[in-house]
Amino acid sequence: MSDTIDYGNLMHDAMRSLIRKVLDRVAQDGLPGDHHFFINFDTHHEDVEIADWMHDRFPEDMTIVLQHWFDALEVREDGFTVTLNFGDSPEPLYIPFDAINTFVDPSVEFGLRFEMQEEHHPDLHLAGKEDEKLAEEDQPVEDPERDATAADAPMQVDAKEPHQDAEIVSLDSFRK
């Protein structure tokens, strides 16, 4: 067990679950109203299954659109299969949820983006197993000057400032 909560991965799991539920509903009932999806995914992901010509044409990532014509949409726990038409040639694709970079439904201005940080803040603790050793490049960076300053500086509390409670903001204020 880790001594930190890995909110980033928990959020990504929740976002992938949302995509899974949306696609499952579409597989059962079709696309409602004007809804349609732009799904960008990593073509290098080890479990992506696309035609060789697609790998050649889209060596990094690819965006598909589920809108007017798609067939055989099947949602699984780890990804989905769909057949799309490319120049009057139907092509089956398998896209794992872990390979998705973005999922957008422009009809309702909704979108999700999955981002992985390449560089880590020196004080960021990467969540993992307690007994797992971090590679040297992933170890927190020591800064003796900063550490000495932080340890020697007295904690200052301004008694003149009254304590303020957290502000609660309704999500409705961000909706159009």
Side-chain angles (χ1 to χ4, degrees):
M1 179 159 168
S2 174
D3 60 348
T4 62
I5 298 172
D6 190 351
Y7 288 106
N9 280 331
L10 291 171
M11 182 61 73
H12 281 191
D13 289 346
M15 290 164 46
R16 287 185 183 98
S17 178
L18 181 143
I19 294 170
R20 182 182 308 108
K21 289 176 183 177
V22 167
L23 291 179
D24 194 43
R25 178 178 171 194
V26 169
Q28 292 176 23
D29 304 328
L31 280 169
D34 292 330
H35 289 275
H36 56 286
F37 311 127
F38 293 101
I39 303 171
N40 178 275
F41 63 96
D42 177 4
T43 57
H44 285 295
H45 188 283
E46 62 185 353
D47 295 326
V48 164
E49 295 175 15
I50 58 176
D52 290 339
W53 70 266
M54 289 184 200
H55 273 290
D56 295 340
R57 186 164 176 197
F58 305 100
E60 298 295 323
D61 65 336
M62 179 177 177
T63 300
I64 60 170
V65 180
L66 299 185
Q67 186 172 14
H68 299 296
W69 190 94
F70 59 94
D71 193 29
L73 177 60
E74 181 185 328
V75 181
R76 303 177 192 163
E77 186 65 27
D78 57 346
F80 67 97
T81 59
V82 66
T83 299
L84 297 175
N85 200 3
F86 294 91
D88 291 329
S89 176
E91 291 283 352
L93 299 94
Y94 173 72
I95 302 167
F97 292 117
D98 286 347
I100 294 176
N101 298 322
T102 59
F103 177 91
V104 177
D105 182 346
S107 70
V108 292
E109 297 182 14
F110 176 80
L112 299 172
R113 178 186 309 255
F114 297 89
E115 296 180 0
M116 295 302 294
Q117 289 184 331
E118 294 298 322
E119 295 183 18
H120 302 290
H121 185 277
D123 294 326
L124 177 66
H125 171 72
L126 303 175
K129 296 178 183 169
E130 250 180 270
D131 57 342
E132 190 175 272
K133 295 281 186 191
L134 292 176
E136 184 176 335
E137 63 271 11
D138 293 331
Q139 293 287 334
V141 176
E142 291 187 27
D143 183 349
E145 185 177 309
R146 182 198 70 214
D147 295 342
T149 304
D152 296 338
M155 188 170 138
Q156 296 182 1
V157 177
D158 190 351
K160 297 174 191 171
E161 289 290 321
H163 174 71
Q164 295 181 0
D165 290 334
E167 182 178 344
I168 298 173
V169 179
S170 170
L171 291 177
D172 292 336
S173 65
F174 296 99
R175 294 187 179 142
K176 293 183 179 183

